[in-house]
Amino acid sequence: MRHAPADQFQIILTDPPYGMNAHEFNDSGSASAGSHFYDDSYAEWQRIMSVFCPESFRLAAPSAHAYVFCDLDRFAELRERMFAAGWKVHRTPLIWHNPEGFRVPWPDAGPQRKYELILYAVKGDRRVTTVKGDVLTYSRDKALGHPAQKPVPLLIDLLARSARPGDCVFDPFAGSGSTLEAAFEQKLRCVALERDANAFGIAIKRVKSFEAFEPALF
């Protein structure tokens, strides 16, 4: 990110690690502890955000929107980091409501977790293309092998709020490639980064299913 030219992307839509030690969880029914194959520690999250927040602002076009998935315990800190980087950050998060959510942080006492948070931020004076609510209800897509996979219809909903013809989307934590598919469905250009070999392989398989689409995935 630090070596890329500035002012490129009209939309940043990404799902970084949450920094909640999900790699140690054993609360997901059939999934075992360690099912997250990446480091989800708070220290790693802080290291990542120390780069992502300022670089996302630098790489964003002068008029841009950002949608960043995050954990409840990290929202306030992420909001402050994004604000310090130059973003105008919405005070409250968007909520992804997943009716089929099955994680139970307290397996013997409940309840199941049915939602996740999305930070929304603006650079410059960019306006939304449509005004929608802050609770987005979408069930998970068929699992492709990534533990934090987000549903494509959810990402399409987010893009549709901000995208205009010719816009370019940036996802520096591409994971299984859901953002690439959502951008394809919206006829948007998309640049995505993924460093984990397992996730990269999943994303490549997804991209190969597209027709007449040339995304950039590194």
Side-chain angles (χ1 to χ4, degrees):
M1 292 177 67
R2 288 172 171 160
H3 302 292
D7 303 330
Q8 293 189 62
F9 305 107
Q10 287 75 30
I11 303 170
I12 295 176
L13 172 56
T14 194
D15 180 23
Y18 281 11
M20 61 180 188
N21 294 313
H23 57 292
E24 298 177 355
F25 285 2
N26 190 21
D27 64 349
S28 56
S30 60
S32 61
S35 59
H36 283 67
F37 45 69
Y38 51 87
D39 184 354
D40 193 47
S41 66
Y42 178 45
E44 178 66 3
W45 182 87
Q46 289 182 305
R47 186 192 69 79
I48 291 172
M49 290 303 111
S50 69
V51 176
F52 168 75
C53 293
E55 285 300 303
S56 66
F57 187 80
R58 186 183 70 84
L59 293 174
S63 179
H65 289 166
Y67 298 94
V68 185
F69 285 81
C70 64
D71 182 61
L72 175 64
D73 286 343
R74 304 289 170 252
F75 177 77
E77 182 176 347
L78 179 59
R79 182 178 59 196
E80 292 304 313
R81 285 177 177 268
M82 291 288 279
F83 177 78
W87 290 98
K88 178 182 178 181
V89 186
H90 199 270
R91 185 178 66 85
T92 55
L94 302 176
I95 304 296
W96 168 37
H97 169 228
N98 174 19
E100 298 175 358
F102 52 80
R103 287 196 176 276
V104 186
W106 292 358
D108 297 326
Q112 285 184 321
R113 186 181 183 188
K114 299 286 188 180
Y115 70 93
E116 297 183 31
L117 307 188
I118 308 163
L119 177 141
Y120 168 58
V122 179
K123 179 179 178 180
D125 59 357
R126 188 176 184 87
R127 297 183 179 182
V128 293
T129 57
T130 182
V131 176
K132 293 186 175 183
D134 57 3
V135 177
L136 299 84
T137 300
Y138 292 97
S139 296
R140 290 188 180 275
D141 291 342
K142 178 182 178 181
L144 298 180
H146 193 285
Q149 179 181 324
K150 297 301 185 290
V152 171
L154 167 65
L155 304 184
I156 289 175
D157 187 319
L158 294 172
L159 290 176
R161 297 166 183 239
S162 299
R164 295 170 176 82
D167 281 350
C168 191
V169 181
F170 181 47
D171 182 359
F173 305 96
S176 67
S178 297
T179 300
L180 288 162
E181 184 170 346
F184 168 68
E185 294 293 337
Q186 293 292 98
K187 296 180 173 59
L188 301 169
R189 295 175 295 146
C190 185
V191 175
L193 307 177
E194 179 53 55
R195 69 177 185 177
D196 183 272
N198 292 318
F200 184 85
I202 296 169
I204 287 296
K205 288 182 180 179
R206 185 196 290 267
V207 169
K208 286 181 178 179
S209 69
F210 302 162
E211 295 182 2
F213 183 53
E214 297 180 0
L217 180 64
F218 303 102

Coordinates of all heavy atoms in Angstrom, one line a residue, residues 140-213:
R140 N -25.5 -15.7 5.0 CA -24.2 -16.1 4.5 C -24.3 -16.8 3.1 O -25.3 -17.5 2.9 CB -23.4 -17.0 5.5 CG -22.9 -16.3 6.7 CD -22.0 -17.1 7.5 NE -21.5 -16.5 8.7 CZ -20.5 -15.7 8.8 NH1 -19.8 -15.4 7.7 NH2 -20.1 -15.1 9.9
D141 N -23.3 -16.6 2.3 CA -23.2 -17.4 1.0 C -22.8 -18.8 1.4 O -22.3 -19.1 2.5 CB -22.2 -16.7 0.1 CG -22.7 -15.4 -0.5 OD1 -23.9 -15.1 -0.4 OD2 -21.9 -14.6 -0.9
K142 N -22.8 -19.6 0.4 CA -22.3 -21.0 0.5 C -20.8 -20.8 0.8 O -20.0 -20.1 0.2 CB -22.4 -21.7 -0.8 CG -21.8 -23.1 -0.8 CD -22.0 -23.8 -2.1 CE -21.3 -25.2 -2.1 NZ -21.5 -25.9 -3.4
A143 N -20.3 -21.5 1.9 CA -19.0 -21.4 2.3 C -18.0 -21.9 1.2 O -18.2 -23.0 0.6 CB -18.8 -22.2 3.6
L144 N -16.9 -21.1 1.0 CA -15.9 -21.5 0.1 C -14.6 -21.9 0.7 O -13.6 -22.2 0.0 CB -15.6 -20.3 -0.9 CG -16.8 -19.8 -1.7 CD1 -16.3 -18.7 -2.6 CD2 -17.3 -21.0 -2.6
G145 N -14.6 -21.9 2.1 CA -13.4 -22.4 2.8 C -12.7 -21.3 3.6 O -11.7 -21.5 4.2
H146 N -13.2 -20.0 3.5 CA -12.6 -18.9 4.3 C -13.5 -18.7 5.5 O -14.7 -18.5 5.4 CB -12.5 -17.7 3.5 CG -11.7 -16.6 4.1 ND1 -12.1 -15.9 5.2 CD2 -10.4 -16.2 3.8 CE1 -11.1 -15.0 5.5 NE2 -10.1 -15.2 4.7
P147 N -12.9 -18.7 6.7 CA -13.7 -18.6 8.0 C -14.5 -17.3 8.2 O -15.4 -17.2 9.0 CB -12.7 -18.8 9.1 CG -11.4 -18.4 8.5 CD -11.5 -18.8 7.0
A148 N -14.0 -16.2 7.5 CA -14.7 -14.9 7.7 C -15.3 -14.4 6.4 O -15.5 -13.2 6.3 CB -13.6 -13.9 8.2
Q149 N -15.7 -15.3 5.6 CA -16.3 -14.9 4.3 C -17.6 -14.1 4.4 O -18.4 -14.4 5.3 CB -16.6 -16.2 3.5 CG -17.3 -16.1 2.2 CD -17.6 -17.4 1.5 OE1 -16.8 -18.4 1.7 NE2 -18.7 -17.5 0.8
K150 N -17.7 -13.0 3.7 CA -18.9 -12.2 3.7 C -19.7 -12.4 2.5 O -19.2 -12.7 1.4 CB -18.4 -10.7 3.8 CG -17.7 -10.3 5.0 CD -18.4 -10.6 6.3 CE -17.7 -10.1 7.5 NZ -16.5 -10.9 7.9
P151 N -21.1 -12.3 2.7 CA -22.0 -12.6 1.5 C -21.9 -11.5 0.4 O -21.9 -10.3 0.7 CB -23.3 -12.6 2.2 CG -23.2 -11.8 3.4 CD -21.8 -12.0 3.9
V152 N -21.8 -11.9 -0.8 CA -21.7 -11.0 -1.9 C -22.9 -10.0 -2.0 O -22.7 -8.8 -2.2 CB -21.6 -11.8 -3.2 CG1 -21.7 -10.8 -4.4 CG2 -20.3 -12.5 -3.3
P153 N -24.2 -10.4 -1.7 CA -25.3 -9.5 -1.8 C -25.1 -8.4 -0.7 O -25.5 -7.2 -1.0 CB -26.5 -10.3 -1.4 CG -26.1 -11.7 -2.0 CD -24.7 -11.8 -1.6
L154 N -24.5 -8.6 0.4 CA -24.2 -7.6 1.4 C -23.3 -6.6 0.8 O -23.5 -5.4 1.0 CB -23.7 -8.2 2.7 CG -23.0 -7.3 3.7 CD1 -24.1 -6.4 4.3 CD2 -22.3 -8.1 4.8
L155 N -22.2 -7.0 0.2 CA -21.2 -6.1 -0.4 C -21.8 -5.3 -1.6 O -21.5 -4.2 -1.7 CB -20.0 -6.9 -0.8 CG -19.3 -7.7 0.3 CD1 -18.1 -8.4 -0.2 CD2 -19.1 -6.9 1.6
I156 N -22.6 -6.0 -2.3 CA -23.3 -5.3 -3.4 C -24.2 -4.1 -2.9 O -24.2 -3.0 -3.4 CB -24.2 -6.2 -4.3 CG1 -23.3 -7.2 -5.1 CG2 -25.1 -5.5 -5.2 CD1 -24.0 -8.3 -5.8
D157 N -24.9 -4.4 -1.8 CA -25.7 -3.4 -1.1 C -24.8 -2.2 -0.7 O -25.2 -1.0 -1.0 CB -26.4 -4.0 0.1 CG -27.4 -3.0 0.7 OD1 -27.1 -1.8 0.9 OD2 -28.5 -3.5 1.2
L158 N -23.7 -2.4 -0.1 CA -22.8 -1.3 0.3 C -22.3 -0.6 -0.9 O -22.3 0.7 -0.9 CB -21.6 -1.9 1.1 CG -22.0 -2.5 2.5 CD1 -20.8 -3.2 3.1 CD2 -22.6 -1.5 3.4
L159 N -21.8 -1.3 -1.9 CA -21.3 -0.6 -3.1 C -22.4 0.2 -3.8 O -22.1 1.3 -4.3 CB -20.8 -1.6 -4.1 CG -19.5 -2.4 -3.7 CD1 -19.1 -3.4 -4.8 CD2 -18.3 -1.4 -3.6
A160 N -23.6 -0.3 -3.8 CA -24.7 0.4 -4.5 C -25.0 1.8 -3.8 O -25.6 2.7 -4.5 CB -25.9 -0.4 -4.5
R161 N -24.7 1.9 -2.6 CA -24.9 3.2 -1.9 C -23.9 4.3 -2.3 O -24.2 5.4 -2.1 CB -24.7 2.9 -0.4 CG -25.8 2.0 0.2 CD -25.4 1.5 1.6 NE -26.4 0.5 2.1 CZ -27.1 0.6 3.2 NH1 -27.0 1.7 4.0 NH2 -27.9 -0.3 3.6
S162 N -22.8 3.9 -2.9 CA -21.7 4.8 -3.1 C -21.2 4.8 -4.6 O -20.6 5.8 -5.0 CB -20.5 4.4 -2.2 OG -20.8 4.5 -0.9
A163 N -21.4 3.8 -5.3 CA -20.8 3.6 -6.6 C -21.4 4.4 -7.7 O -22.6 4.5 -7.8 CB -20.7 2.2 -7.0
R164 N -20.5 4.9 -8.6 CA -20.9 5.6 -9.9 C -20.2 4.9 -11.0 O -19.1 4.3 -10.8 CB -20.6 7.1 -9.8 CG -21.5 7.8 -8.7 CD -21.0 9.2 -8.5 NE -21.9 9.9 -7.6 CZ -21.8 9.9 -6.3 NH1 -20.9 9.1 -5.7 NH2 -22.6 10.6 -5.5
P165 N -20.7 5.0 -12.2 CA -20.0 4.4 -13.4 C -18.5 4.9 -13.5 O -18.2 6.0 -13.3 CB -20.8 4.9 -14.6 CG -22.2 5.1 -14.0 CD -22.0 5.7 -12.7
G166 N -17.7 3.9 -13.7 CA -16.2 4.2 -13.8 C -15.5 4.2 -12.5 O -14.2 4.3 -12.5
D167 N -16.1 4.0 -11.4 CA -15.5 4.0 -10.1 C -14.6 2.8 -9.9 O -14.8 1.7 -10.5 CB -16.5 4.0 -8.9 CG -17.1 5.4 -8.7 OD1 -16.5 6.4 -9.2 OD2 -18.0 5.5 -7.9
C168 N -13.6 2.9 -9.1 CA -12.7 1.8 -8.8 C -12.7 1.5 -7.3 O -12.7 2.4 -6.4 CB -11.2 2.2 -9.2 SG -10.1 0.7 -9.1
V169 N -12.8 0.2 -7.0 CA -13.0 -0.2 -5.6 C -11.6 -0.8 -5.1 O -10.9 -1.5 -5.9 CB -14.1 -1.3 -5.5 CG1 -14.2 -1.8 -4.0 CG2 -15.4 -0.8 -6.0
F170 N -11.3 -0.6 -3.9 CA -10.0 -1.2 -3.3 C -10.3 -2.0 -2.1 O -11.1 -1.6 -1.2 CB -9.1 -0.1 -2.9 CG -7.8 -0.5 -2.4 CD1 -7.0 -1.5 -3.0 CD2 -7.2 0.1 -1.2 CE1 -5.8 -2.0 -2.5 CE2 -6.0 -0.3 -0.7 CZ -5.3 -1.4 -1.3
D171 N -9.8 -3.3 -2.1 CA -10.0 -4.2 -1.0 C -8.6 -4.7 -0.6 O -8.1 -5.7 -1.3 CB -10.9 -5.3 -1.3 CG -11.2 -6.2 -0.1 OD1 -10.5 -6.0 0.9 OD2 -11.9 -7.2 -0.3
P172 N -7.9 -4.2 0.4 CA -6.6 -4.7 0.7 C -6.6 -5.9 1.6 O -5.5 -6.4 1.9 CB -6.0 -3.5 1.5 CG -7.2 -2.8 2.1 CD -8.3 -3.0 1.1
F173 N -7.7 -6.4 2.0 CA -7.9 -7.7 2.7 C -8.9 -8.6 2.0 O -10.0 -8.8 2.5 CB -8.3 -7.4 4.2 CG -7.4 -6.5 4.9 CD1 -7.7 -5.1 5.0 CD2 -6.2 -6.9 5.5 CE1 -6.8 -4.2 5.6 CE2 -5.4 -6.1 6.2 CZ -5.7 -4.7 6.2
A174 N -8.5 -9.1 0.8 CA -9.5 -9.6 -0.1 C -10.1 -11.0 0.4 O -11.2 -11.3 0.0 CB -8.8 -9.9 -1.5
G175 N -9.4 -11.7 1.2 CA -9.9 -13.0 1.7 C -10.3 -13.9 0.6 O -9.6 -14.2 -0.3
S176 N -11.6 -14.3 0.6 CA -12.1 -15.2 -0.4 C -12.5 -14.6 -1.7 O -12.9 -15.2 -2.7 CB -13.3 -16.0 0.1 OG -14.4 -15.1 0.3
G177 N -12.3 -13.2 -1.8 CA -12.6 -12.5 -3.1 C -14.1 -12.1 -3.2 O -14.5 -11.7 -4.3
S178 N -14.8 -12.0 -2.1 CA -16.2 -11.5 -2.2 C -16.4 -10.1 -2.8 O -17.3 -9.9 -3.6 CB -16.9 -11.6 -0.8 OG -16.9 -12.9 -0.3
T179 N -15.4 -9.2 -2.4 CA -15.5 -7.9 -2.9 C -15.3 -7.9 -4.5 O -16.0 -7.1 -5.2 CB -14.5 -7.0 -2.3 OG1 -14.7 -6.9 -0.9 CG2 -14.5 -5.5 -2.8
L180 N -14.4 -8.7 -4.9 CA -14.2 -8.8 -6.4 C -15.5 -9.2 -7.1 O -15.8 -8.6 -8.1 CB -13.1 -9.8 -6.7 CG -11.7 -9.4 -6.3 CD1 -10.8 -10.6 -6.2 CD2 -11.1 -8.3 -7.3
E181 N -16.2 -10.2 -6.6 CA -17.4 -10.6 -7.2 C -18.5 -9.5 -7.1 O -19.2 -9.3 -8.1 CB -17.9 -11.9 -6.5 CG -19.2 -12.5 -7.2 CD -19.5 -13.8 -6.7 OE1 -18.7 -14.5 -6.1 OE2 -20.7 -14.3 -7.0
A182 N -18.6 -8.9 -6.0 CA -19.6 -7.8 -5.8 C -19.3 -6.6 -6.8 O -20.2 -6.1 -7.4 CB -19.6 -7.2 -4.4
A183 N -18.0 -6.3 -7.0 CA -17.6 -5.3 -7.9 C -18.0 -5.7 -9.4 O -18.4 -4.9 -10.2 CB -16.1 -4.9 -7.8
F184 N -17.7 -6.9 -9.7 CA -18.1 -7.5 -11.0 C -19.6 -7.3 -11.2 O -20.0 -6.9 -12.3 CB -17.7 -9.0 -11.1 CG -18.2 -9.7 -12.2 CD1 -17.8 -9.4 -13.5 CD2 -19.2 -10.7 -12.1 CE1 -18.3 -10.1 -14.6 CE2 -19.7 -11.4 -13.2 CZ -19.2 -11.1 -14.4
E185 N -20.4 -7.7 -10.3 CA -21.8 -7.6 -10.4 C -22.3 -6.1 -10.6 O -23.3 -5.9 -11.3 CB -22.5 -8.2 -9.2 CG -22.3 -9.7 -9.0 CD -23.0 -10.5 -10.1 OE1 -23.9 -10.0 -10.7 OE2 -22.6 -11.6 -10.3
Q186 N -21.5 -5.2 -10.0 CA -21.9 -3.8 -10.2 C -21.2 -3.1 -11.3 O -21.3 -1.9 -11.5 CB -21.5 -3.0 -8.9 CG -22.4 -3.5 -7.6 CD -23.8 -3.0 -7.8 OE1 -24.7 -3.8 -8.2 NE2 -24.1 -1.8 -7.5
K187 N -20.4 -3.9 -12.1 CA -19.7 -3.4 -13.3 C -18.7 -2.3 -12.9 O -18.5 -1.2 -13.5 CB -20.7 -2.8 -14.3 CG -21.5 -3.9 -14.9 CD -22.5 -3.4 -16.0 CE -23.3 -4.5 -16.7 NZ -24.1 -5.3 -15.8
L188 N -18.0 -2.5 -11.8 CA -17.0 -1.6 -11.3 C -15.6 -2.3 -11.4 O -15.4 -3.5 -11.4 CB -17.2 -1.3 -9.8 CG -18.6 -0.7 -9.4 CD1 -18.8 -0.7 -7.9 CD2 -18.7 0.7 -10.0
R189 N -14.6 -1.4 -11.5 CA -13.2 -1.9 -11.5 C -12.9 -2.2 -10.0 O -13.4 -1.6 -9.1 CB -12.3 -0.8 -12.0 CG -12.4 -0.6 -13.5 CD -11.5 0.6 -14.0 NE -11.9 1.8 -13.3 CZ -11.1 2.8 -13.0 NH1 -9.8 2.6 -13.2 NH2 -11.5 3.9 -12.4
C190 N -11.9 -3.1 -9.8 CA -11.6 -3.5 -8.4 C -10.1 -3.9 -8.4 O -9.7 -4.7 -9.2 CB -12.5 -4.6 -7.9 SG -12.2 -5.0 -6.2
V191 N -9.4 -3.4 -7.4 CA -8.1 -3.8 -7.1 C -8.1 -4.5 -5.7 O -8.6 -3.9 -4.7 CB -7.1 -2.7 -7.1 CG1 -5.7 -3.1 -6.6 CG2 -7.0 -2.0 -8.5
A192 N -7.5 -5.7 -5.5 CA -7.6 -6.4 -4.3 C -6.2 -6.9 -3.9 O -5.4 -7.3 -4.8 CB -8.6 -7.5 -4.4
L193 N -5.9 -7.0 -2.6 CA -4.7 -7.5 -2.1 C -5.0 -8.7 -1.1 O -6.0 -8.6 -0.4 CB -3.9 -6.5 -1.4 CG -3.6 -5.2 -2.1 CD1 -2.8 -4.2 -1.1 CD2 -2.8 -5.4 -3.3
E194 N -4.2 -9.7 -1.1 CA -4.3 -10.8 -0.2 C -3.0 -11.5 0.0 O -2.4 -11.9 -0.9 CB -5.4 -11.8 -0.6 CG -5.6 -13.0 0.3 CD -5.9 -12.6 1.8 OE1 -6.8 -11.8 2.0 OE2 -5.1 -13.0 2.7
R195 N -2.5 -11.5 1.3 CA -1.2 -12.1 1.5 C -1.2 -13.5 1.9 O -0.2 -14.2 1.8 CB -0.5 -11.3 2.6 CG -1.1 -11.4 4.0 CD -0.3 -10.7 5.0 NE -0.8 -10.9 6.4 CZ -0.2 -10.4 7.5 NH1 0.8 -9.6 7.4 NH2 -0.8 -10.6 8.7
D196 N -2.4 -14.0 2.4 CA -2.5 -15.4 2.9 C -2.6 -16.3 1.7 O -3.5 -16.2 0.9 CB -3.6 -15.6 3.9 CG -3.7 -17.0 4.4 OD1 -4.4 -17.8 3.8 OD2 -3.1 -17.3 5.5
A197 N -1.8 -17.4 1.6 CA -1.8 -18.2 0.4 C -3.1 -19.0 0.3 O -3.6 -19.2 -0.8 CB -0.6 -19.2 0.5
N198 N -3.7 -19.5 1.4 CA -4.9 -20.2 1.4 C -6.1 -19.3 0.9 O -6.8 -19.7 0.0 CB -5.3 -20.7 2.8 CG -4.3 -21.8 3.3 OD1 -3.9 -22.7 2.6 ND2 -3.9 -21.7 4.6
A199 N -6.2 -18.1 1.5 CA -7.2 -17.2 1.0 C -7.1 -16.8 -0.4 O -8.0 -16.7 -1.2 CB -7.3 -16.0 1.9
F200 N -5.8 -16.6 -0.8 CA -5.5 -16.2 -2.2 C -6.0 -17.3 -3.2 O -6.6 -17.0 -4.2 CB -4.0 -16.0 -2.4 CG -3.6 -15.5 -3.7 CD1 -3.7 -14.1 -4.0 CD2 -3.2 -16.4 -4.7 CE1 -3.3 -13.7 -5.3 CE2 -2.8 -15.9 -6.0 CZ -2.8 -14.6 -6.3
G201 N -5.8 -18.5 -2.8 CA -6.2 -19.6 -3.7 C -7.7 -19.7 -3.8 O -8.2 -19.9 -4.9
I202 N -8.4 -19.4 -2.7 CA -9.9 -19.4 -2.8 C -10.4 -18.2 -3.7 O -11.3 -18.4 -4.5 CB -10.5 -19.2 -1.4 CG1 -10.1 -20.4 -0.5 CG2 -12.0 -19.0 -1.4 CD1 -10.4 -20.2 1.0
A203 N -9.7 -17.1 -3.6 CA -10.1 -15.9 -4.4 C -9.8 -16.1 -5.8 O -10.7 -15.8 -6.7 CB -9.4 -14.7 -3.9
I204 N -8.7 -16.8 -6.2 CA -8.4 -17.1 -7.6 C -9.5 -18.0 -8.2 O -9.9 -17.7 -9.3 CB -7.0 -17.7 -7.7 CG1 -5.9 -16.7 -7.4 CG2 -6.8 -18.3 -9.1 CD1 -5.9 -15.5 -8.4
K205 N -9.9 -19.0 -7.5 CA -11.0 -19.9 -8.0 C -12.2 -19.1 -8.2 O -12.9 -19.3 -9.2 CB -11.2 -21.0 -7.0 CG -10.1 -22.0 -6.9 CD -10.5 -23.1 -5.9 CE -9.3 -24.2 -5.8 NZ -9.7 -25.3 -4.9
R206 N -12.5 -18.2 -7.3 CA -13.7 -17.4 -7.5 C -13.6 -16.5 -8.8 O -14.5 -16.4 -9.6 CB -14.0 -16.5 -6.3 CG -15.3 -15.7 -6.3 CD -15.3 -14.6 -5.3 NE -15.4 -15.0 -4.0 CZ -16.5 -15.2 -3.3 NH1 -17.7 -14.9 -3.9 NH2 -16.5 -15.6 -2.0
V207 N -12.5 -15.8 -8.9 CA -12.3 -14.9 -10.0 C -12.3 -15.7 -11.4 O -12.9 -15.1 -12.3 CB -10.9 -14.2 -9.9 CG1 -10.6 -13.5 -11.2 CG2 -11.0 -13.2 -8.7
K208 N -11.8 -16.9 -11.4 CA -11.8 -17.7 -12.6 C -13.2 -18.0 -13.1 O -13.5 -18.4 -14.3 CB -11.0 -18.9 -12.5 CG -9.5 -18.7 -12.4 CD -8.8 -20.0 -12.3 CE -7.2 -19.8 -12.3 NZ -6.5 -21.0 -12.2
S209 N -14.2 -17.9 -12.2 CA -15.6 -18.2 -12.6 C -16.3 -17.0 -13.3 O -17.4 -17.1 -13.8 CB -16.4 -18.6 -11.3 OG -16.6 -17.5 -10.5
F210 N -15.6 -15.8 -13.2 CA -16.2 -14.6 -13.8 C -16.0 -14.7 -15.3 O -15.0 -15.3 -15.8 CB -15.5 -13.3 -13.3 CG -15.7 -13.1 -11.8 CD1 -14.8 -12.2 -11.2 CD2 -16.6 -13.8 -11.1 CE1 -14.9 -12.0 -9.8 CE2 -16.7 -13.6 -9.7 CZ -15.9 -12.7 -9.1
E211 N -16.8 -14.0 -16.1 CA -16.7 -13.9 -17.5 C -16.4 -12.4 -17.9 O -17.0 -11.5 -17.4 CB -18.0 -14.4 -18.2 CG -18.2 -15.9 -18.0 CD -19.5 -16.3 -18.8 OE1 -20.1 -15.5 -19.4 OE2 -19.9 -17.5 -18.7
A212 N -15.5 -12.2 -18.8 CA -15.2 -10.9 -19.3 C -14.9 -9.9 -18.2 O -15.3 -8.8 -18.2 CB -16.3 -10.4 -20.2
F213 N -14.1 -10.4 -17.2 CA -13.7 -9.5 -16.1 C -12.2 -9.7 -15.8 O -11.7 -10.8 -15.8 CB -14.5 -9.9 -14.9 CG -14.3 -9.1 -13.7 CD1 -14.4 -7.7 -13.7 CD2 -13.9 -9.6 -12.4 CE1 -14.2 -6.9 -12.6 CE2 -13.7 -8.8 -11.3 CZ -13.9 -7.5 -11.4

